[in-house]
Amino acid sequence: MTTAILHSIKQGAYVAIALYVVFIAVVTVTSMNATSIHSINAALNTPVVDTQRPAANVQERAT
């Protein structure tokens, strides 16, 4: 029974290490791709021009 408990603890440790390695890999890939994701979002966000209101610096001629 003692060997079964030790074997179970050992398997749990292997699973914990494997999950930790996967977590580090995901964090690394996400942080490496964060700059490209932000640049894509910046390229997609085009400036909005309000066409309903005239520009503030336009001077009208007196008639």
Side-chain angles (χ1 to χ4, degrees):
M1 175 150 172
T2 305
T3 56
I5 294 172
L6 290 175
H7 180 70
S8 176
I9 291 171
K10 191 176 175 181
Q11 287 301 110
Y14 288 145
V15 170
I17 290 169
L19 289 175
Y20 180 71
V21 168
V22 168
F23 173 75
I24 294 299
V26 168
V27 169
T28 303
V29 169
T30 303
S31 66
M32 289 176 69
N33 288 335
T35 55
S36 63
I37 289 171
H38 290 302
S39 65
I40 290 170
N41 286 337
L44 292 177
N45 291 333
T46 57
V48 176
V49 178
D50 188 8
T51 59
Q52 300 298 324
R53 188 176 58 170
N57 61 356
V58 173
Q59 297 178 352
E60 293 187 25
R61 271 193 286 178
T63 57

